[in-house]
Amino acid sequence: MSVLGIEFTEAEAEQIRQTAAAEKRPPQELVQEMRESMLAEIRRRRFLAAARRVTTLSAELNERLAR
């Protein structure tokens, strides 16, 4: 099953359908929320990686300037 560019096994798709039915909403809506959540997590991780890189570069620069 492929929805919104995400591949699911048949077992995962069945679980999504069951959850969506229990919540009385379309499976596509549930998958869209999952997709948005995953994208938000990817953005968060990229931001943190960039912040770590800037912190490292800043510390290195400060160390060189202190000499």
Side-chain angles (χ1 to χ4, degrees), residues 13-33:
E14 182 56 31
Q15 186 176 17
I16 290 168
R17 285 189 287 271
Q18 289 174 3
T19 301
E23 295 179 10
K24 296 181 177 150
R25 56 191 193 144
Q28 292 83 359
E29 186 179 297
L30 186 64
V31 171
Q32 179 64 32
E33 283 181 17

Side-chain angles (χ1 to χ4, degrees), residues 2-67:
S2 176
V3 179
L4 302 172
I6 302 172
E7 293 288 327
F8 297 100
T9 64
E10 192 52 44
E12 291 168 331
E14 182 56 31
Q15 186 176 17
I16 290 168
R17 285 189 287 271
Q18 289 174 3
T19 301
E23 295 179 10
K24 296 181 177 150
R25 56 191 193 144
Q28 292 83 359
E29 186 179 297
L30 186 64
V31 171
Q32 179 64 32
E33 283 181 17
M34 292 166 51
R35 181 179 182 276
E36 289 170 5
S37 179
M38 289 180 350
L39 290 174
E41 179 63 17
I42 290 167
R43 286 185 203 106
R44 185 186 74 78
R45 289 180 185 190
R46 285 182 179 168
F47 176 83
L48 291 175
R52 281 191 296 273
R53 180 73 176 137
V54 167
T55 301
T56 299
L57 291 173
S58 179
E60 290 170 0
L61 178 59
N62 287 337
E63 187 177 309
R64 283 189 288 185
L65 290 173
R67 293 183 199 161

